[in-house]
Amino acid sequence: MADKAPEDAYSAEPFVPSRGGLPALRKAAAGCRGCPLHRDATQTVFGTGDPHARVMLVGEQPGDQEDRLGKPFVGPAGKLLDRALAEAGVDPAEAYVTNAVKHFKFTQAEPRKRRIHKAPTLREMTACGPWLARELELVEPELIVVLGATAGKALLGASFRVTQVRGTVLEEEIHGRPERLVPTVHPSAVLRADDREAAYRGLVADLEVAARALA
Ligand code: SF4
């Protein structure tokens, strides 16, 4: 079984269909066992939104509410992101939203205690990469908004530092395709910030760069 493989062998690749559109991809992802994260999570949380979106928003992984509901960015961070996008001039309804890792990773002290988000490892991000690669291939967005360090590392490599490149337009080859990217912080970092208003303004300013790049 794939989840008994050594960590280096973790990969979603055997589960990714070579043909079909996003619905086929989403259906196949529901059965992914490419790394151990599927074991404790409720379900695969696949990307959603306009299949011909001009902008793809890539976050880290589903959170607690996303894991239960099976949809990305439906919790508090998602609501904040929608508000920031609208304020920056990017219609959230015209975007495609997804995560670098499709299963919720968490720790839990006891079965009924709150599930605490845990960052995925580089190996887990790499294992899940084939799903994101196919989403990019099918949606063909004009711009990728990279939400936070984990999404940045998954797309641009382990040396990615969101503080160094946020709010700039990068041009990089991603999964063999030339892409334009605008990195910013993850909206959950805004919710955790001491000065939440300043952090929110920073997120909106970065998203305005994305809006201008799409104009
Ligand atoms: S996290 Fe990604 S690679 Fe791992 S089981 Fe889930 S969908 Fe598959």
Side-chain angles (χ1 to χ4, degrees):
M1 283 173 63
D3 58 0
K4 296 272 176 65
E7 280 198 31
D8 283 346
Y10 293 164
S11 178
E13 197 70 64
F15 302 90
V16 180
S18 54
R19 296 160 67 175
L22 284 170
L25 205 61
R26 185 174 292 112
K27 196 170 166 196
C32 185
R33 303 286 180 269
C35 82
L37 295 188
H38 69 89
R39 291 183 197 149
D40 297 328
T42 307
Q43 58 193 315
T44 305
V45 180
F46 203 71
T48 186
D50 183 350
H52 307 294
R54 294 181 67 206
V55 59
M56 182 182 285
L57 299 143
V58 182
E60 181 192 81
Q61 62 162 337
D64 182 81
Q65 289 191 38
E66 286 82 3
D67 170 76
R68 295 177 201 279
L69 296 169
K71 289 185 181 162
F73 289 100
V74 288
K79 289 186 175 66
L80 183 138
L81 178 63
D82 277 356
R83 187 157 62 90
L85 283 168
E87 204 169 317
V90 180
D91 184 351
E94 291 180 0
Y96 182 92
V97 290
T98 192
N99 283 301
V101 171
K102 311 295 194 222
H103 275 108
F104 179 38
K105 183 174 181 179
F106 59 92
T107 54
Q108 194 172 30
E110 292 169 38
R112 294 221 179 107
K113 295 274 187 213
R114 200 159 75 87
R115 301 186 301 173
I116 310 292
H117 159 277
K118 194 172 176 199
T121 64
L122 195 58
R123 285 203 175 101
E124 289 156 349
M125 288 181 234
T126 306
C128 213
W131 294 117
L132 186 55
R134 283 287 284 148
E135 286 177 297
L136 283 166
E137 198 182 322
L138 290 167
V139 177
E140 293 188 297
E142 290 171 40
L143 189 74
I144 302 168
V145 173
V146 182
L147 298 167
T150 300
K153 287 182 200 304
L155 286 163
L156 295 157
S159 62
F160 174 85
R161 297 285 177 273
V162 69
T163 48
Q164 290 172 0
V165 287
R166 62 177 295 181
T168 61
V169 183
L170 307 177
E171 296 192 5
E172 300 285 345
E173 190 172 302
I174 308 290
H175 295 297
R177 300 166 52 83
E179 303 281 5
R180 288 192 310 154
L181 311 97
V182 173
T184 185
V185 294
H186 194 280
S188 63
V190 175
L191 293 172
R192 289 193 306 269
D194 291 335
D195 187 343
R196 201 188 279 196
E197 183 54 28
Y200 177 75
R201 299 271 35 116
L203 173 64
V204 172
D206 293 346
L207 294 174
E208 283 170 346
V209 173
R212 283 197 292 277
L214 285 165

